[in-house]
Amino acid sequence: MADRTYRAAPADALRVEPLGELTAIFDRRSMQTHLVVSPMPEILDAMGAEACNATGLAARLAAAFDLDATEDAQPILAERLRELAAMGLVERA
Amino acid sequence: MSAVRSFVDLLAGRRDPAALTSRDWDGVIGVARSEAMLATLAHRIAGAALPPTVAALFADQRAAAKVAQAQALWEAEMARRALAPAGIEFVLLKGAAYAAADMSCAAGRQIGDLDILVLAPDIRRAENLLLTAGWEWVKSDPYDDAYYRQHMHELPPMIHKARDRMIDVHHTILPRTHRITPDALALVGDAVTSGAGFAVLNPADMACHCAAHMLADGDLQGGLRNLWDFHTMTRDFAAADPGYWGQLDGRAVLHGLQGAVHRAARLSRDLYGVALPSGWDRQDPSDACFRRRLFARDDWGRVTEPALEQAFYIRSHWLRMPPAMLAKHLWTKWRKR
Amino acid sequence: MRHSTRIAVGPVQFRIGSDWAEPIAALEHLYAGYPQDDTRPAEATVRLFAARPWRRWLRPSVHIGGDFVVPDALPLPLSMGLLAAEMGMNLQVALGWRRHMLLHASAVAQGGRALIMSGESGSGKSTLAALLGEKEGGGDWRLMGDEFTLIDPAGGDAFAFPRAVSLKNEAIAEVAARVDPSRLGPLLAATPKGDIRHLIPRADAIAAMHEPARPALLLFPRFGGEVAVEPMGEGEAFVRLTEASTNYVALGEAGFAALTRLVRETPAFTISYPDSAAGIALVEQIWAEAAK
């Protein structure tokens, strides 16, 4: 499957509140609450304002968390991006 | 004075809210809730001197309507994300369109399902894309499903499985079986872009659709609200463009909706007190029956005159279907009771 | 409508209309001690009506209507008119009220601090709240409500909704043994929800119904099994309370902010208990040890 490029919601659209093991994200555009677990908040953080695909995201996360970028991260991140898109938190660029 | 007349007078600005008694408010609030227009009233008389508990209730209603409207517009955004990558464009209809265009009738207006209009050749692809994006069929029986596909102007309703919101995808604005067949290509082709970036019908077509929805298609359920939409939009469009009433007449003729549009204009004059230009400002004895139906609510918010309500229900189907088909349809519906 | 009455519970003024005199008389008995303000317009309307005129007399069955209706709700026999009224009132609040975040939860308060108990019906939340509100020699606990607890989105305080308590099945005898019989409504036997009898809250609880209380403890009770206490994380409490709220979604960001604050500032536990006595003891122990 093609490695699609996505753009995250603008930062001021979201209100992010960590609640123990869960993170509650309120989207001011949709008025919806999303309850997510790691790595969703980290993905949104790493995306920032720039559009990126799963490969680019893997590199950014590896840099941010000081990990080695591995090949198997890409399909997992592509799946997470699809889930975030279904919630409306990221959008195809 | 009956509660429904007080309510209409408040909307029209003919009645001073400060003159209402506590018992008047009971009825007005009950009727406004029954018409799904409490937040509309709350906006309309926001600046008035109100009893403190009414003012507080109205403030709640305005805040809640703002949230509900954002949620409704988000459905339009998610439909855009599902359809735009495949090059399918759509026109927003009804409540969501009024909100996207920031029209005055949108203030406090309740928005139910998302209604969108796509070109007929795109409708199968639109259906598939929406199904892929998380919408699913509302479970219905095979008769209803076949009925929709053969005769209606929209796909059977779909609901989003995560957000629990309905979408109605139309390819024209009246059923295929209706005696009037509006020009769907012109509706889409002449659509305009709203402030929120969505396509909406142009001002004349929007009023045509509003009248069609209220008088040619519907059984006058929610009639006071639809008429309020019609009244405020024609008033505002005409204020912005002196040629508006003429354009509206032209488009109404194009779509075969002149009767419905003119009646809607007369009813909005009769209820909400707008002045109509010459050529529109007529009297029609048959309007009386429509006015009676619009006012058929008692002080407890109940529909009075159930026989009249039933008559309008059958009339709406009469308009939509040839008589033989109507008989078959009602027979199938009644057997299922 | 032929018969009607007005009732104020917490911040909500109801008007209730009926085709029959009996449900109105029963309501007026239960709510006789509540503050009356006839000059105040009603925010919510409930209608108890016969579907056909002759059904007022012939096998009379009460349909529940109002500003909001459940499309396919079954009617109740006239002998259960009080239950129909209660269901109608609950429905209007659950679907129509927007000023507060509504939690489907019981609550009691002490010293301006609230204990909020959320759970399915059958969890015992109503019975626990009723029994705490009636505690022998106490008078410590103020009953805030057995069905709804209202959270002010701006300040985070809990507000009471002390309707007549709806006692069910075994709880009826348990509470009846402790209160003056004049505070009990008629026994409604074998309703769709089991046996029901209403309890009029204590006069001081009614008098204090507009006083806010600071949420201090959240409990999620479960009736049955050994005594057990399990702390609940903020995330789980958040999820459980969104499910227990009838208007969380409708409040938008105000609801999100209120609920986030509530679960962060209020310790939360699930509890199990085998019987009411053990339940009361457990609740009071946790209140003493953990309440904020």
Side-chain angles (χ1 to χ4, degrees):
Chain A
M1 190 175 258
D3 190 359
R4 279 181 177 157
T5 304
Y6 294 89
R7 190 181 301 281
D12 62 358
L14 303 184
R15 177 162 173 178
V16 181
E17 302 282 357
L19 297 172
E21 66 280 21
L22 294 178
T23 299
I25 302 175
F26 185 80
D27 188 335
R28 295 189 172 103
R29 303 164 304 168
S30 64
M31 299 278 165
Q32 285 185 296
T33 303
H34 304 281
L35 289 154
V36 299
V37 293
S38 190
M40 297 302 206
E42 292 81 358
I43 290 176
L44 289 172
D45 259 352
M47 288 177 78
E50 276 169 73
C52 73
N53 59 13
T55 309
L57 183 59
R60 286 192 204 176
L61 285 168
F65 292 94
D66 204 15
L67 305 167
D68 293 330
T70 54
E71 291 213 342
D72 53 354
Q74 194 270 344
I76 296 170
L77 288 173
E79 182 57 32
R80 295 292 90 80
L81 283 169
R82 269 197 297 280
E83 289 165 5
L84 287 168
M87 292 183 232
L89 293 173
V90 305
E91 178 187 4
R92 276 171 67 178
Chain B
M1 181 182 281
S2 77
V4 65
R5 285 186 185 271
S6 299
F7 169 67
V8 167
D9 284 356
L10 285 170
L11 285 177
R14 280 190 296 264
R15 188 134 195 229
D16 178 9
L20 264 65
T21 67
S22 171
R23 288 305 85 86
D24 292 336
W25 280 115
D26 286 350
V28 166
I29 290 167
V31 165
R33 283 203 197 263
S34 301
E35 295 286 343
M37 290 183 79
L38 188 54
T40 298
L41 181 65
H43 272 279
R44 178 69 183 84
I45 54 176
L50 301 171
T53 59
V54 175
L57 178 70
F58 281 7
D60 300 342
Q61 292 292 318
R62 287 190 295 267
K66 202 171 159 203
V67 172
Q69 228 162 61
Q71 287 162 342
L73 274 181
W74 184 251
E75 290 305 301
E77 169 63 15
M78 291 308 272
R80 189 190 63 75
R81 290 183 187 186
L83 300 178
I88 296 181
E89 294 180 357
F90 61 81
V91 178
L92 279 183
L93 299 175
K94 299 187 209 170
Y98 308 153
D102 199 21
M103 293 164 58
S104 57
C105 63
R109 191 187 191 281
Q110 183 172 309
I111 305 173
D113 307 345
L114 176 69
D115 292 281
I116 64 172
L117 178 66
V118 300
L119 286 173
D122 282 339
I123 201 146
R124 291 285 154 213
R125 281 199 307 142
E127 179 181 353
N128 287 332
L129 288 163
L130 292 171
L131 289 172
T132 312
W135 277 270
E136 50 192 27
W137 301 119
V138 177
K139 292 197 181 34
S140 63
D141 66 273
Y143 174 78
D144 281 347
D145 192 66
Y147 170 76
Y148 261 100
R149 287 178 186 276
Q150 284 166 26
H151 306 304
M152 288 300 281
H153 51 308
E154 60 201 47
L155 291 173
M158 291 190 269
I159 192 161
H160 194 275
K161 58 188 171 199
R163 296 190 303 275
D164 210 25
R165 304 274 308 209
M166 306 253 281
I167 187 168
D168 287 325
V169 184
H170 306 245
H171 50 78
T172 182
I173 56 171
L174 283 175
R176 287 176 174 176
T177 51
H178 200 286
R179 284 148 214 199
I180 299 166
T181 49
D183 187 338
L185 206 59
L187 290 170
V188 176
D190 297 338
V192 297
T193 306
S194 72
F198 292 103
V200 298
L201 296 175
N202 69 50
D205 284 351
M206 194 181 268
C208 286
H209 179 224
C210 184
H213 175 55
M214 174 169 57
L215 294 167
D217 182 28
D219 53 3
L220 239 61
Q221 277 266 353
L224 286 179
R225 187 183 67 184
N226 292 327
L227 192 62
W228 179 252
D229 293 339
F230 185 90
H231 160 62
T232 56
M233 77 172 67
T234 50
R235 177 199 66 195
D236 294 352
F237 288 146
D241 176 359
Y244 177 71
W245 286 104
Q247 294 155 26
L248 177 55
D249 207 30
R251 291 302 272 198
V253 170
L254 172 72
H255 297 305
L257 288 166
Q258 214 182 6
V261 169
H262 275 258
R263 192 191 297 280
R266 292 193 303 271
L267 291 171
S268 80
R269 170 199 63 195
D270 297 346
L271 269 73
Y272 298 126
V274 70
L276 294 178
S278 63
W280 292 80
D281 197 14
R282 286 191 295 259
Q283 300 297 328
D284 183 331
S286 64
D287 289 349
C289 194
F290 288 81
R291 286 193 298 265
R292 243 175 81 201
R293 170 76 174 94
L294 290 167
F295 281 125
R297 231 177 242 291
D298 73 7
D299 292 2
W300 286 82
R302 291 178 296 183
V303 172
T304 52
E305 309 205 43
L308 192 60
E309 188 187 27
Q310 179 73 6
F312 270 93
Y313 177 74
I314 292 175
R315 175 185 169 276
S316 76
H317 282 74
W318 174 256
L319 286 169
R320 286 156 174 242
M321 294 182 200
M325 213 172 101
L326 172 63
K328 187 170 166 250
H329 172 72
L330 291 178
W331 172 245
T332 314
K333 282 282 177 203
W334 283 334
R335 265 197 327 187
K336 277 193 288 190
R337 288 203 173 158
Chain C
M1 298 196 73
R2 261 179 199 83
H3 308 276
S4 69
T5 188
R6 310 172 72 77
I7 294 172
V9 182
V12 189
Q13 172 91 1
F14 296 92
R15 68 170 171 158
I16 298 144
S18 168
D19 281 342
W20 303 271
E22 294 91 329
I24 298 299
L27 282 170
E28 286 181 339
H29 169 71
L30 282 183
Y31 289 92
Y34 284 62
Q36 279 282 352
D37 180 0
D38 282 340
T39 65
R40 182 180 156 190
E43 279 107 0
T45 294
V46 175
R47 302 189 302 258
L48 306 177
F49 64 98
R52 299 275 177 271
W54 59 88
R55 290 302 289 271
R56 282 177 52 216
W57 305 283
L58 183 70
R59 281 179 290 120
S61 66
V62 184
H63 286 258
I64 303 167
D67 301 326
F68 298 90
V69 293
V70 176
D72 298 318
L74 290 174
L76 291 167
L78 182 56
S79 61
M80 297 175 193
L82 202 48
L83 176 61
E86 173 194 311
M87 289 165 72
M89 290 164 73
N90 285 348
L91 189 68
Q92 307 318 315
V93 174
L95 299 183
W97 194 250
R98 294 285 181 269
R99 194 165 309 153
H100 302 93
M101 182 170 66
L102 275 166
L103 297 178
H104 186 221
S106 68
V108 289
Q110 195 176 91
R113 298 181 308 149
L115 158 62
I116 299 169
M117 292 179 278
S118 172
E120 301 294 312
S121 70
S123 65
K125 66 177 186 332
S126 300
T127 312
L128 288 176
L131 289 171
L132 285 166
E134 298 300 331
K135 241 181 115 235
E136 287 293 318
D140 279 335
W141 291 103
R142 156 166 78 103
L143 177 74
M144 295 181 74
D146 74 321
E147 180 76 7
F148 292 120
T149 301
L150 281 46
I151 305 293
D152 172 31
D157 281 339
F159 282 85
F161 186 78
R163 58 163 208 177
V165 178
S166 191
L167 301 168
K168 293 192 186 78
N169 301 324
E170 294 80 18
I172 296 173
E174 236 174 313
V175 174
R178 293 158 203 247
V179 304
D180 189 299
S182 67
R183 287 181 49 211
L184 292 169
L187 176 68
L188 311 176
T191 76
K193 301 182 172 203
D195 291 351
I196 288 183
R197 202 164 178 191
H198 291 94
L199 167 72
I200 302 168
R202 279 196 337 229
D204 53 341
I206 296 170
M209 73 181 179
H210 297 301
E211 283 174 25
R214 199 71 196 160
L217 181 62
L218 277 168
L219 294 180
F220 296 85
R222 201 169 63 83
F223 181 77
E226 291 299 295
V227 166
V229 181
E230 197 72 50
M232 186 184 282
E234 292 170 2
E236 192 186 346
F238 186 95
V239 174
R240 295 273 294 256
L241 291 177
T242 57
E243 289 165 357
S245 174
T246 58
N247 67 356
Y248 169 76
V249 173
L251 292 179
E253 190 169 357
F256 180 81
L259 197 51
T260 310
R261 172 156 74 185
L262 181 64
V263 301
R264 280 199 180 136
E265 294 183 353
T266 320
F269 300 87
T270 54
I271 58 167
S272 304
Y273 59 99
D275 54 65
S276 295
I280 297 288
L282 184 58
V283 168
E284 295 215 293
Q285 182 197 338
I286 303 171
W287 177 262
E289 288 169 5
K292 281 236 173 166

